């Protein structure tokens, strides 16, 4: 379970390892399977196979014009697609379809963020094509989880709204030819997946720092709560990955969904996920020792 000790965790996973190694050995040199999962060059080996970029202490936390442009611009594209859905709706059946689509987007966006979060938490590194920066950011967040609350709204969100602007523009372009239900789903799903980064930030804030409506939504289980996401930040970060509502977290964790996926990927690729081992001492959460 999530509350198990590191030794029990290691014992449970040893059946998958062909060549057993101590945690200290893994810190001194990455295993062959870890290198296979990272896609890193020999330069990465010299860096001990670290899974992320070094955190820039001088990184900008304030929202810049570029951040606002991509955040609000992408929101406008998604909002226009949703508006098209409502404009197209004609009669009770269409409106019921729009409402059901928005609800399904809410349910499935939580699942989607959980699967994506699990993937970037456990596989690849800062050198991985396309996803490297996001993998690096998630790993850096485990070391310094409080920095997310120091970012201003658009500074935090543009990292997800910027790449989402491409599918948002595509869905808006085809919206006149699609059904109201389809347009409602695509716009709502994209918006909620992107906003999960802010829901995530709110789950790290103190009660006194949260707007009253956000706190009420967390306590009602509509947004992921501080308690639920706090459970994710216990090494080796092996559960509670969903960050929209957290509705799927007990389902996925109790059924060992991610453990089964990890077993499957290891059986087919021999790549081990990071959560099978305690984090390297250099990359553990600061102040946790």
């Amino acid at each position: 379970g999530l509350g198990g000790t590191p030794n029990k965790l290691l014992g449970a996973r040893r059946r998958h390892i062909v060549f057993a190694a101590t945690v200290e050995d893994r810190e001194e040199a990455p295993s062959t399977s870890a290198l296979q999962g990272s896609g890193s060059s020999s330069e990465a080996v010299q860096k001990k196979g670290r899974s992320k970029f070094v955190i820039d202490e001088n990184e900008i936390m304030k929202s810049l014009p570029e951040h606002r442009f991509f955040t609000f611009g992408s929101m406008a594209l998604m909002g226009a697609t949703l508006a098209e859905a409502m404009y197209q709706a004609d009669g009770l059946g269409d409106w019921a379809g729009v409402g059901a689509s928005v609800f399904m987007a809410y349910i499935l966006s939580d699942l989607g963020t959980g699967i994506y979060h699990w993937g970037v938490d456990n596989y690849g590194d800062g050198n991985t094509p396309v996803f490297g920066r996001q993998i690096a950011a998630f790993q850096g967040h485990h070391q310094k989880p409080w920095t997310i609350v120091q970012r201003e709204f658009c500074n935090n969100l543009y990292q997800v709204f910027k790449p989402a602007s491409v599918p948002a523009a595509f869905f808006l372009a085809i919206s006149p030819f699609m059904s109201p239900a389809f347009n409602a789903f695509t716009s709502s799903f994209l918006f909620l997946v992107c906003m999960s980064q802010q829901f995530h930030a709110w789950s790290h804030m103190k009660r006194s720092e949260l707007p009253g409506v956000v706190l009420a939504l967390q306590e009602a289980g509509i947004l992921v709560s501080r308690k639920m996401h706090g459970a994710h930040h216990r090494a080796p970060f092996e559960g509670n990955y969903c960050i929209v509502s957290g509705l799927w977290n007990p389902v996925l964790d109790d059924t060992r969904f991610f453990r089964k996926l990890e077993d499957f990927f290891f059986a087919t690729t021999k790549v081990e996920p990071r959560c099978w081992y305690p984090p390297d001492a250099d990359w553990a959460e600061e102040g946790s020792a």
Side-chain angles (χ1 to χ4, degrees):
L2 298 182
T5 64
N7 286 337
K8 288 176 66 179
L9 175 68
L10 286 171
R13 301 302 179 204
R14 285 302 182 197
R15 68 183 187 277
H16 301 289
I17 311 303
V18 177
F19 299 104
T22 63
V23 173
E24 290 76 17
D25 289 336
R26 289 175 59 83
E27 291 174 350
E28 291 172 5
S31 67
T32 301
S33 57
L35 292 178
Q36 289 173 332
S38 67
S40 304
S41 64
S42 59
E43 181 182 357
V45 176
Q46 296 172 1
K47 296 178 181 178
K48 298 184 179 180
R50 285 176 175 172
S51 59
K52 65 193 188 65
F53 298 112
V54 175
I55 295 172
D56 184 359
E57 298 294 345
N58 298 315
E59 188 173 359
I60 296 172
M61 297 293 185
K62 293 186 176 296
S63 296
L64 302 179
E66 176 193 3
H67 304 159
R68 297 187 182 94
F69 173 79
F70 281 109
T71 300
F72 295 128
S74 294
M75 284 184 179
L77 294 173
M78 298 168 194
T81 303
L82 182 60
E84 176 68 17
M86 293 187 287
Y87 174 78
Q88 292 172 322
D90 182 20
L92 184 60
D94 281 349
W95 281 106
V98 167
S101 294
V102 171
F103 179 73
M104 286 305 299
Y106 168 72
I107 298 298
L108 294 178
S109 62
D110 190 55
L111 175 63
T113 61
I115 293 174
Y116 186 79
H117 187 181
W118 164 79
V120 296
D121 264 13
N122 286 288
Y123 298 98
D125 62 16
N127 299 307
T128 299
V130 181
F131 302 102
R133 287 294 297 187
Q134 295 181 51
I135 294 170
F138 271 91
Q139 292 301 297
H141 175 64
H142 289 165
Q143 185 196 24
K144 295 185 175 182
W146 60 86
T147 58
I148 193 172
V149 304
Q150 297 172 351
R151 293 183 181 277
E152 291 187 349
F153 183 79
C154 291
N155 180 290
N156 185 37
L157 289 179
Y158 94 99
Q159 302 172 75
V160 283
F161 273 103
K162 182 177 180 179
S165 64
V166 176
F170 171 75
F171 287 128
L172 177 59
I174 67 172
S175 63
F177 313 102
M178 308 307 291
S179 69
F182 179 86
N183 291 331
F185 178 83
T186 55
S187 57
S188 300
F189 181 83
L190 265 182
F191 177 75
L192 289 167
V193 166
C194 291
M195 280 300 296
S196 70
Q197 179 70 356
Q198 186 60 39
F199 304 155
H200 181 195
W202 284 333
S203 73
H204 280 277
M205 292 183 181
K206 298 176 182 178
R207 290 175 60 91
S208 59
E209 297 172 332
L210 289 169
V213 64
V214 172
L215 183 59
L217 290 172
Q218 287 182 344
E219 292 181 343
I222 296 173
L223 294 182
V224 64
S225 69
R226 295 172 303 115
K227 180 179 180 180
M228 177 174 284
H229 185 64
H232 170 71
H233 280 270
R234 298 171 187 162
F237 313 106
E238 64 169 352
N240 288 286
Y241 290 110
C242 303
I243 52 175
V244 172
S245 64
L247 174 69
W248 283 92
N249 282 328
V251 177
L252 298 175
D253 292 345
D254 291 347
T255 60
R256 297 180 56 78
F257 174 79
F258 292 118
R259 304 295 81 78
K260 293 171 184 176
L261 272 184
E262 292 156 10
D263 290 345
F264 171 77
F265 283 129
F266 181 80
T268 55
T269 67
K270 303 307 178 189
V271 176
E272 305 160 18
R274 275 183 283 274
C275 69
W276 282 11
Y277 295 89
D280 290 345
D282 289 346
W283 300 105
E285 179 179 341
E286 291 190 355
S288 62

